[in-house]
Amino acid sequence: LTSAKRIRHLSDGELRVLIEWLPRSGFSQLCVDTFMLMLFTGARSGEVGGIRIRDLNLNAKFWHLADTKTGVERNVQLSTYAVEYIEELLDDKKEFLLQAKTGRPQDQKQLSQQAWLMRNRNQMLDIPHWTAHDLRRTVRSQLSVLGCPSEVGEAILGHSRKGIEGVYDLHTYEKESAVWLQKWGDHLADIVGINRRKR
C-alpha cells in the first residue's frame, strides 16, 4: 500500500472529473481552493494554505514564499489561470489568502481529515485512492509529459538540487518556471474544456 501511494498520479481523465467534481463535493471551500492552487502551481499543501496576501505580486505573476521545507526562499510563479483564481479570493480584511474563521491559515490536516470522513461516508469521487500530495506528483509528472526540462520541473516543485549540481548551479529557473506553468495551465484548460484566457 505504501509503495502504491508513492507512485500515484492522476491521468488527464481523472483530473477532468476531479476538477468538475470538487465544487460540488463535500470538501470545504478552503480545501477546494487549496487543491486547485496546488494543481496550478505544484506547491505543497502547507505552502498554499499559508499564502499571505502581502506576499502576492499578481502584476508580476508570482508569490514570494519565505518559509519553505528546504529553508531556501523562492518565488512561486503564477500562470494567468492561477492569477485569475487568486483574484477571486482576495480580501483586504484578511492576512492569509485561504484564511479560516479562526483567523489562522488553512490547516493542511483538514485535507486528509475531510477526505477520510468522505470515504467513510461513501461520498468520495469514484476514482482510485488519491491524496493531496498526489496532486503535486501529478503536476510534476504531467510537466515531464509536456516536455518540461527536469531541472525546471524540480524548481517548480521547490526541490533542492543534490550533489555537485546543487553546489554549483544556483540558477533559480524563475523565468523558465513561469513559461512551463503557463503551458501546464493551458493543458489544464484543455482538459476541462474551457476557453483559454489571454496571456
Side-chain angles (χ1 to χ4, degrees), residues 163-177:
I164 293 297
E165 183 180 0
V167 173
Y168 288 99
D169 184 2
L170 303 180
H171 181 46
T172 60
Y173 295 97
E174 288 188 6
K175 291 182 179 179
E176 296 89 343
S177 295

Side-chain angles (χ1 to χ4, degrees), residues 118-171:
M118 290 171 65
R119 287 192 173 93
N120 277 347
R121 296 169 181 169
N122 200 29
Q123 297 174 337
M124 184 55 76
L125 182 65
D126 188 21
I127 62 174
H129 187 285
W130 60 279
T131 67
H133 194 73
D134 293 331
L135 300 184
R136 185 168 146 84
R137 189 177 294 110
T138 296
V139 173
R140 181 65 183 86
S141 299
Q142 293 280 14
L143 282 169
S144 290
V145 171
L146 292 174
C148 177
S150 179
E151 60 272 18
V152 179
E154 291 299 285
I156 286 172
L157 263 63
H159 285 164
S160 57
R161 290 187 291 281
K162 307 297 182 183
I164 293 297
E165 183 180 0
V167 173
Y168 288 99
D169 184 2
L170 303 180
H171 181 46

Side-chain angles (χ1 to χ4, degrees), residues 71-110:
V72 179
E73 296 186 18
R74 65 188 180 98
N75 291 328
V76 178
Q77 304 303 304
L78 303 172
S79 67
T80 54
Y81 306 97
V83 169
E84 289 175 5
Y85 197 93
I86 289 171
E87 285 176 338
E88 295 294 319
L89 303 176
L90 289 177
D91 184 342
D92 292 338
K93 298 178 182 178
K94 296 180 179 179
E95 178 182 359
F96 299 97
L97 183 68
L98 304 181
Q99 185 167 300
K101 293 180 180 178
T102 60
R104 299 295 301 158
Q106 160 75 347
D107 186 348
Q108 63 186 113
K109 291 181 181 178
Q110 285 294 317

Side-chain angles (χ1 to χ4, degrees), residues 12 15 39-42 61 77-82 138-149 152-153 156 174-192 194 196-199:
D12 282 358
L15 278 174
L39 279 173
F40 283 131
T41 66
K61 296 182 181 178
Q77 304 303 304
L78 303 172
S79 67
T80 54
Y81 306 97
T138 296
V139 173
R140 181 65 183 86
S141 299
Q142 293 280 14
L143 282 169
S144 290
V145 171
L146 292 174
C148 177
V152 179
I156 286 172
E174 288 188 6
K175 291 182 179 179
E176 296 89 343
S177 295
V179 169
W180 282 99
L181 280 171
Q182 184 62 49
K183 290 182 179 181
W184 166 238
D186 289 339
H187 184 68
L188 279 178
D190 289 340
I191 288 172
V192 298
I194 62 175
R196 294 185 181 185
R197 277 73 164 179
K198 293 180 180 179
R199 298 181 189 177

